[in-house]
Amino acid sequence: KAGVTQTPRYLIKTRGQQVTLSCSPISGHRSVSWYQQTPGQGLQFLFEYFSETQRNKGNFPGRFSGRQFSNSRSEMNVSTLELGDSALYLCASSLGDRAEAFFGQGTRLTVV
Amino acid sequence: GESVGLHLPTLSVQEGDNSIINCAYSNSASDYFIWYKQESGKGPQFIIDIRSNMDKRQGQRVTVLLNKTVKHLSLQIAATQPGDSAVYFCAENKNNFNKFYFGSGTKLNVKP
């Protein structure tokens, strides 16, 4: 079965722009979580969606937002990009609560 | 945020030896833990999990030990192979759906 798909794989944006990243979970998985991974801060939780509802949110500014569609696909948006937003953004899907999470390969965002 | 740290950032072992990767967590309310493996260019991959009502759990060549008294988690890999070379993360959850706090990671180098 297909794994978690994240698009695009690589992205270069300019400071002040906004960006939208996409995540298609494994079929049947209703929980989608997003993480930011940087060398300095490691893996940090951004938010989790389940059945189109945000269930959890991490400690990120309001410039980071997300949503989930009825088919469980999820998007995250970052507005007014800053250099510090450069990171690998990972999406993970799970069948249920506190079940095995399957990660995508991530989207590498570079802000210049 | 939560503090989930690792004692050693880099661990080098000889092929065939056993590896032990350690993790300290700070929140005594955490009751579910996962070890992930991340290879270069890939998203984290689930290895094994353990709930707080257990002290030990075994998988294929891997064992996770949980010591709640000192809030310590370890991952033991038996007969380490070159394919085990990766960064290993522990992650904790405190009954909060799929919101996980990740440790900073330990890089495992397996020497042939």
Side-chain angles (χ1 to χ4, degrees):
Chain A
K1 83 185 178 185
V4 178
T5 303
Q6 292 189 244
T7 56
R9 288 291 312 280
Y10 302 93
L11 208 48
I12 300 175
K13 289 286 188 178
T14 305
R15 271 183 304 174
Q17 287 186 313
Q18 73 165 11
V19 67
T20 299
L21 312 182
S22 179
C23 172
S24 292
I26 292 173
S27 178
H29 286 194
R30 293 162 66 189
S31 169
V32 174
S33 300
W34 288 89
Y35 289 84
Q36 181 195 66
Q37 186 173 27
T38 60
Q41 298 297 319
L43 274 151
Q44 291 189 293
F45 177 85
L46 280 157
F47 25 67
E48 181 206 3
Y49 287 88
F50 185 88
S51 294
E52 302 178 66
T53 301
Q54 186 181 89
R55 292 203 298 191
N56 275 301
K57 192 176 190 304
N59 296 325
F60 280 82
R63 300 185 296 107
F64 292 80
S65 63
R67 60 178 175 169
Q68 186 180 35
F69 302 94
S70 59
N71 62 357
S72 292
R73 189 178 70 87
S74 178
E75 290 181 345
M76 66 163 282
N77 183 279
V78 187
S79 62
T80 319
L81 284 165
E82 301 177 359
L83 295 179
D85 297 333
S86 295
L88 180 67
Y89 289 88
L90 291 159
C91 162
S93 76
S94 302
L95 187 59
D97 291 341
R98 312 212 297 174
E100 180 177 349
F102 294 83
F103 281 82
Q105 288 188 284
T107 294
R108 172 73 64 183
L109 172 65
T110 302
V111 183
V112 298
Chain B
E2 303 301 322
S3 173
V4 180
L6 294 170
H7 295 313
L8 298 172
T10 304
L11 177 65
S12 292
V13 299
Q14 204 70 38
E15 180 179 358
D17 287 350
N18 296 333
S19 303
I20 299 176
I21 301 172
N22 297 302
C23 174
Y25 64 95
S26 61
N27 193 329
S28 56
S30 294
D31 63 352
Y32 181 55
F33 305 86
I34 298 180
W35 279 100
Y36 284 95
K37 170 187 180 183
Q38 187 175 25
E39 297 175 282
S40 181
K42 297 183 179 180
Q45 178 185 3
F46 175 97
I47 301 173
I48 191 168
D49 61 356
I50 188 168
R51 299 187 187 273
S52 60
N53 60 353
M54 303 173 71
D55 296 322
K56 179 180 179 178
R57 188 152 192 245
Q58 289 183 292
Q60 187 176 13
R61 283 201 307 117
V62 295
T63 300
V64 56
L65 299 177
L66 175 62
N67 185 330
K68 295 180 287 294
T69 302
V70 295
K71 290 183 284 187
H72 185 267
L73 197 67
S74 69
L75 176 70
Q76 300 178 359
I77 304 174
T80 313
Q81 302 169 0
D84 295 326
S85 293
V87 177
Y88 290 80
F89 296 95
C90 65
E92 67 172 308
N93 177 284
K94 50 177 181 176
N95 198 19
N96 194 0
F97 299 120
N98 289 315
K99 181 177 184 178
F100 284 86
Y101 295 94
F102 278 76
S104 54
T106 291
K107 184 174 182 180
L108 177 64
N109 290 323
V110 182
K111 297 175 284 186

